């Protein structure tokens, strides 16, 4: 098979081994994950996992979308082969009688094929979005509502952990490729389309020649998951693409037919990390808000005591998760890693910083700590 040239776009080079990005984009030692105050966020810390999303779960409609794939170079042989492969893969979810002919598909911009390719592409892949920004007003507002928290992750330790568990060739770390004009990628010029003929010997008396079709499309996948409109540049996003066993199929929000039912295996997208990967837990400036807490007492020992607002936290699952979160960050395992973000405004302007907390405890629904002068 003829070796394909790398796909290049905006100084990024896409290959089957990963992305070669510009030399001025240097992988930081630390990356940050922003969380709002909700049960799923608390569970991420309590159970030590990072959630690797399916594209349909992302907040940008252009991010990793099937509309980034250009099928204009699809011919009838490739179409029939791929649809045969996909219909076999999703047997029971797609009726062969409903598969459009090549001419019908072409007139409809290969919509059905693009949906099924996206299903196939991301059923065993997930992405984790992280940021270079430790303190960013828009990030805190958009993703943490100022009241959430931020995890500081040790990139080298996280990468090593993921490589050890899932093998190096299944982990890809790269910065986002921001551009004013998000271009489509020619799908068939950037995949390996494999057509093999083998002998079917399942029937001793009637062996026959069968043709198998397969597609290897890591290059389009890497492009789709790394390209973003430059309105998102402020996020300074890095992404980790993980390839593993089946993680399910998400429902296409624009489709209504039966085989597009939701089958997303969210539990399999929860990827555990070890404690060494987590360097800091930075609580937002409004974390100690008067919704989650009803009262504050500052005692003579300079201890801040915040009483849980049980009247507000009426959802038992949310209350239980929040209790577990406060308990775990007060435990010996994390107690030296907790900081509280503050905002400083003076003649020099507006600045965010964090103070380390010590003496953390959570007992009888009271969260207690001493605020230090140790800035971060």
């Amino acid at each position: 098979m003829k070796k394909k040239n790398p796909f290049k776009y905006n100084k990024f080079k896409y290959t089957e081994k990963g992305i070669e990005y510009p030399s001025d984009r240097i992988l930081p030692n630390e990356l940050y994950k922003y969380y709002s105050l909700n049960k799923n966020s608390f569970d991420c810390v309590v159970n030590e996992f990072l959630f690797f999303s399916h594209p349909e779960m992302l907040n940008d409609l252009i991010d990793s979308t099937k509309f980034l794939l250009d099928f204009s170079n699809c011919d009838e042989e490739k179409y029939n082969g791929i649809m045969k492969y996909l219909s076999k893969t999703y047997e029971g979810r797609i009726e062969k009688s409903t598969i459009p002919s090549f001419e019908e598909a072409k007139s409809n911009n290969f919509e059905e094929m693009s949906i099924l390719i996206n299903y196939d592409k991301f059923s065993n892949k997930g992405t984790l979005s992280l940021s270079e920004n430790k303190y960013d007003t828009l990030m805190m507002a958009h993703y943490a509502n100022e009241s959430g928290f931020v995890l500081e992750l040790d990139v080298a330790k996280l990468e090593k952990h993921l490589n050890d568990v899932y093998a190096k060739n299944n982990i890809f770390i790269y910065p986002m490729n921001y551009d004013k004009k998000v271009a489509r990628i020619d799908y068939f010029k950037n995949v390996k389309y494999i057509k093999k003929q083998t002998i079917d010997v399942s029937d001793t008396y009637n062996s026959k020649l069968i043709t198998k079709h397969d597609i290897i499309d890591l290059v389009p996948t890497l492009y789709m998951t790394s390209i973003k409109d430059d309105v998102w540049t402020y996020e300074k996003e890095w992404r980790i693409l993980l390839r593993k066993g089946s993680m399910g199929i998400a429902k296409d929000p624009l489709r209504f037919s039966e085989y597009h039912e939701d089958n997303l295996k969210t539990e399999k997208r929860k990827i555990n990390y070890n404690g060494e990967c987590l360097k800091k837990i930075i609580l937002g400036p409004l974390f100690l808000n008067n919704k989650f807490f009803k009262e504050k007492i500052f005692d003579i020992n300079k201890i801040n005591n915040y009483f849980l607002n049980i009247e507000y936290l009426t959802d038992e699952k949310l209350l239980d998760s929040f209790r577990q979160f406060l308990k775990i960050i007060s435990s010996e395992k994390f107690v030296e890693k907790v900081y509280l973000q503050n905002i400083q405004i003076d003649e020099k302007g507006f600045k965010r910083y964090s103070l380390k907390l010590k003496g953390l405890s959570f007992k009888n629904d009271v969260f207690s700590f001493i605020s230090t002068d140790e800035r971060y």
Side-chain angles (χ1 to χ4, degrees):
M1 181 176 291
K2 184 179 179 181
K3 186 177 180 181
K4 291 184 178 293
N5 293 323
F7 174 68
K8 298 177 182 179
Y9 186 80
N10 200 20
K11 298 182 180 179
F12 280 61
K13 184 189 294 184
Y14 296 87
T15 74
E16 290 178 7
K17 294 183 178 180
I19 300 176
E20 296 178 25
Y21 45 84
S23 58
D24 61 342
R25 304 293 298 276
I26 300 171
L27 180 63
N29 294 325
E30 295 86 21
L31 287 171
Y32 301 87
K33 184 66 178 175
Y34 287 72
Y35 292 93
S36 58
L37 295 184
N38 60 57
K39 182 183 181 303
N40 291 334
S41 300
F42 300 143
D43 289 348
C44 287
V45 177
V46 172
N47 298 309
E48 294 183 45
F49 68 82
L50 297 165
F51 190 84
F52 282 71
S53 297
H54 186 282
E56 300 296 355
M57 307 173 76
L58 302 175
N59 63 349
D60 177 8
L61 292 176
I62 305 302
D63 190 348
S64 308
T65 176
K66 59 184 177 292
F67 299 115
L68 289 170
L69 301 178
D70 177 6
F71 296 113
S72 58
N73 280 318
C74 182
D75 59 32
E76 189 167 3
E77 181 184 11
K78 291 173 182 175
Y79 173 78
N80 290 334
I82 284 183
M83 291 305 287
K84 185 175 182 179
Y85 159 75
L86 292 170
S87 62
K88 187 173 180 63
T89 302
Y90 297 99
E91 193 169 1
R93 291 175 65 86
I94 175 173
E95 294 292 335
K96 292 183 180 180
S97 60
T98 66
I99 297 175
S101 68
F102 173 71
E103 292 301 327
E104 290 174 317
K106 188 176 181 180
S107 66
N108 199 28
N109 295 317
F110 299 101
E111 181 182 3
E112 203 78 3
M113 183 175 71
S114 70
I115 291 170
L116 290 173
I117 285 176
N118 231 35
Y119 277 179
D120 189 59
K121 185 189 307 297
F122 291 108
S123 64
N124 69 339
K125 298 181 187 71
T127 55
L128 175 69
S129 297
L130 302 169
S131 174
E132 291 183 34
N133 292 327
K134 175 168 57 181
Y135 300 129
D136 184 87
T137 297
L138 288 177
M139 294 288 287
M140 284 301 299
H142 293 168
Y143 297 105
N145 299 320
E146 296 286 8
S147 59
F149 58 92
V150 183
L151 300 186
E152 180 180 281
L153 299 165
D154 186 305
V155 175
K157 290 180 179 178
L158 178 60
E159 183 176 14
K160 181 180 185 306
H161 171 75
L162 293 174
N163 285 334
D164 288 345
V165 176
Y166 298 102
K168 189 172 182 179
N169 63 345
N170 289 317
I171 303 296
F172 307 90
I173 303 180
Y174 45 85
M176 297 308 289
N177 186 352
Y178 298 108
D179 199 24
K180 290 183 178 180
K181 182 181 178 181
V182 176
R184 300 167 75 196
I185 180 172
D186 189 314
Y187 185 76
F188 286 99
K189 282 187 177 180
N190 293 285
V191 300
K192 280 188 177 179
Y193 172 71
I194 301 172
K195 179 181 176 183
K196 292 189 249 183
Q197 290 189 321
T198 57
I199 302 295
D200 181 3
V201 293
S202 56
D203 186 336
T204 306
Y205 301 101
N206 296 293
S207 61
K208 57 182 179 180
L209 190 69
I210 60 173
T211 302
K212 290 188 175 181
H213 304 267
D214 200 358
I215 47 176
I216 300 173
D217 57 357
L218 182 60
V219 169
T221 303
L222 289 170
Y223 176 73
M224 292 169 64
T225 57
S226 68
I227 188 72
K228 289 188 85 168
D229 191 289
D230 69 353
V231 297
W232 299 97
T233 304
Y234 75 92
E235 292 188 346
K236 295 183 180 178
E237 183 180 349
W238 286 73
R239 190 161 283 183
I240 302 179
L241 176 72
L242 168 67
R243 181 169 56 187
K244 65 186 287 282
S246 175
M247 291 188 278
I249 302 169
K251 184 176 181 179
D252 189 310
L254 298 177
R255 301 289 292 186
F256 296 93
S257 54
E258 291 181 8
Y259 70 84
H260 295 277
E261 65 188 68
D262 196 6
N263 188 32
L264 192 64
K265 300 174 183 177
T266 54
E267 289 300 315
K268 292 192 175 183
R269 292 180 177 273
K270 297 177 180 179
I271 306 302
N272 290 102
Y273 60 88
N274 59 46
E276 292 184 356
C277 299
L278 179 58
K279 296 184 71 173
K280 292 180 178 65
I281 302 171
I282 305 170
L283 306 178
L286 299 182
F287 178 83
L288 301 164
N289 63 74
N290 58 12
K291 289 184 177 179
F292 279 65
F293 298 93
K294 65 178 180 179
E295 185 180 7
K296 171 190 175 183
I297 296 177
F298 186 67
D299 66 23
I300 58 175
N301 296 315
K302 296 184 178 180
I303 298 176
N304 296 277
N305 299 288
Y306 286 82
F307 294 75
L308 225 57
N309 189 355
I310 307 300
E311 290 76 14
Y312 174 78
L313 296 166
T314 55
D315 185 317
E316 290 187 13
K317 291 184 178 179
L318 175 63
L319 175 59
D320 181 62
S321 293
F322 191 44
R323 281 172 169 156
Q324 292 297 321
F325 175 80
L326 294 175
K327 182 179 179 180
I328 197 73
I329 67 172
S330 303
S331 68
E332 184 178 349
K333 187 173 186 178
F334 294 109
V335 70
E336 291 298 321
K337 300 180 178 182
V338 183
Y339 291 72
L340 178 63
Q341 190 177 140
N342 283 279
I343 296 174
Q344 176 180 308
I345 303 176
D346 55 27
E347 64 279 359
K348 295 181 180 179
F350 174 90
K351 182 180 180 182
R352 292 177 184 265
Y353 66 94
S354 291
L355 295 177
K356 186 174 182 179
L357 306 183
K358 70 175 185 179
L360 280 79
S361 70
F362 181 65
K363 296 178 181 177
N364 301 319
D365 285 342
V366 180
F367 180 52
S368 305
F369 61 86
I370 298 173
S371 183
T372 71
D373 294 326
E374 184 180 330
R375 284 200 176 201
Y376 173 63

